């Protein structure tokens, strides 16, 4: 009976049309594709066997839940971005997987330095390959895709500015936002404030990874000083009750990623995840996958986790989807149309 109930709940959540605002291309690669690339391109790896490769690029039981273990997986993945064709294939597969999970609107983010540096490509080239592939893939899979360009916190300000300039130049190719990601505890955001202010003036939307493993003060800094309209994760906002209230009043959207938050140790256990608590306090929370390849998850899995272990129910999940649509980095009329479409779909439910 328990299985039956779980099974029908999964079917319901799977069938829901969805919005995803926070998914990293580099964290979305299919394991089977990685094995194929490793073999075809003779990559220098300990093994070409799927199960031997898995713990190197995916979180597995026995991994300690901490941020550095999580980031290690990305480092090895850089070896796989071997040709423009492979990067395009990864974009296609990532968008196909999102569409198969009934995602209707996806904002996919990528780090152009990660995609280019290992093989000596220019970051502007990598950006072009991603935008072209995303343009084609969204047509093939009937899903609307917009792109967010990511700056790593460990980059120099010089490189950050170069990335921001390339992102602004790619606005006509589907790039809508700029993001800052990486280890908050080792690299403060302060050196990048001017870069983000400039990008915002040029018309890009801003989202910042903050309050994930770093303190809640990073969230306030991102909103007040860097122009962030959305916050990646923001799980630690609750350390400052006034901040939670303020986020609700300001209408800041949190891009929360439950499984990722467990894998990075940002949250100790599912029942301690603040998703429901923040929603009840009026914060515009959304549910996302972060890195479906690395965490071996789908957006349906994340909804299921939220319902089964985080006190959410179907109306609450729908509310988070509406919040996500309302926070899409789209022109006002397109955003309004997206919200209306979801409201109409959810009304009979
Ligand atoms: Zn992220």
């Amino acid at each position: 009976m328990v299985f039956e109930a779980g099974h029908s709940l999964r079917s319901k959540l799977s069938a829901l049309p969805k919005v995803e605002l926070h998914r990293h291309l580099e964290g979305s690669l299919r394991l089977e594709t990685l094995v194929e690339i490793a073999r075809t391109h003779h990559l220098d790896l300990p093994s070409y066997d799927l199960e031997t490769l898995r713990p190197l690029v995916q979180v597995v039981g026995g991994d300690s839940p901490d941020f550095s273990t999580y980031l290690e997986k990305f480092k090895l993945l850089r070896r796989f971005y071997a040709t423009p064709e492979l990067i395009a294939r990864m974009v296609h597969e990532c968008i196909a997987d999102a569409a198969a999970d009934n995602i209707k609107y996806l904002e996919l983010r990528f780090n152009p330095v990660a995609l280019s540096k290992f093989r000596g490509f220019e970051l502007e080239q990598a950006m072009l390959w991603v935008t072209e592939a995303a343009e084609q893939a969204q047509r093939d899979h009937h899903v609307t895709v917009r792109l967010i360009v990511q700056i790593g916190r460990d980059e120099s300000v010089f490189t950050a500015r170069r990335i921001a300039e390339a992102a602004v130049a790619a606005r006509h190719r589907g790039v809508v936002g700029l993001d800052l990601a990486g280890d908050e505890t080792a690299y403060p955001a302060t050196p990048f404030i001017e870069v983000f202010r400039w990008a915002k003036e040029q018309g890009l939307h801003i989202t910042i990874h903050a309050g994930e493993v770093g303190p809640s003060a990073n969230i306030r800094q991102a909103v007040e000083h860097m122009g962030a309209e959305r916050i990646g994760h923001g799980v630690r906002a609750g350390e400052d009750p006034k901040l939670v209230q303020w986020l609700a009043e300001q209408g800041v959207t949190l891009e929360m990623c439950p499984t990722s938050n467990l894998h990075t140790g940002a949250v100790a256990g599912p029942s301690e995840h603040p998703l429901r608590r923040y929603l009840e306090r009026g914060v515009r929370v959304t549910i996302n996958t972060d890195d479906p390849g690395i965490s071996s998850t789908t957006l349906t899995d994340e909804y299921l986790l939220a319902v089964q272990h985080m006190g959410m129910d179907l109306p609450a999940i729908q509310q988070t989807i509406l919040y996500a649509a309302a926070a899409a980095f789209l022109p006002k009329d397109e955003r309004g149309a997206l919200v209306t479409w979801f409201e109409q779909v959810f009304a009979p439910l």
Side-chain angles (χ1 to χ4, degrees), residues 182-292:
D183 189 349
E184 278 179 89
T185 56
Y187 302 99
T190 310
F192 304 107
I193 287 176
E194 289 310 318
V195 173
F196 277 83
R197 283 186 178 169
W198 175 82
K200 185 151 186 163
E201 280 167 20
Q202 303 307 308
L204 286 181
H205 292 278
I206 307 295
T207 175
I208 306 273
H209 283 70
E212 180 185 11
V213 292
S216 59
N218 289 359
I219 300 170
R220 195 181 278 273
Q221 180 195 40
V223 176
E224 282 194 325
H225 300 294
M226 303 175 80
E229 299 138 78
R230 305 192 323 228
I231 292 292
H233 304 286
V235 286
R236 288 181 61 178
E239 288 171 1
D240 177 358
K242 280 189 190 148
L243 176 64
V244 177
Q245 177 81 26
W246 184 75
L247 289 172
E249 286 164 4
Q250 298 291 314
V252 175
T253 299
L254 299 187
E255 306 157 356
M256 306 202 92
C257 310
T259 299
S260 165
N261 296 151
L262 297 171
H263 285 169
T264 59
V267 174
S271 59
E272 285 160 61
H273 200 284
L275 181 67
R276 174 85 204 177
R277 225 166 50 238
Y278 293 170
L279 185 69
E280 284 170 350
R281 302 266 320 263
V283 181
R284 302 173 79 88
V285 295
T286 65
I287 301 175
N288 306 273
T289 58
D290 208 11
D291 301 296

Side-chain angles (χ1 to χ4, degrees), residues 84-107:
E85 292 74 24
L86 287 179
I87 292 173
R89 175 179 171 182
M90 290 167 182
V91 173
H92 268 274
E93 291 182 352
C94 169
I95 290 171
D97 291 346
D101 200 17
N102 238 339
I103 290 171
K104 302 299 181 194
Y105 177 79
L106 168 68
E107 284 181 13

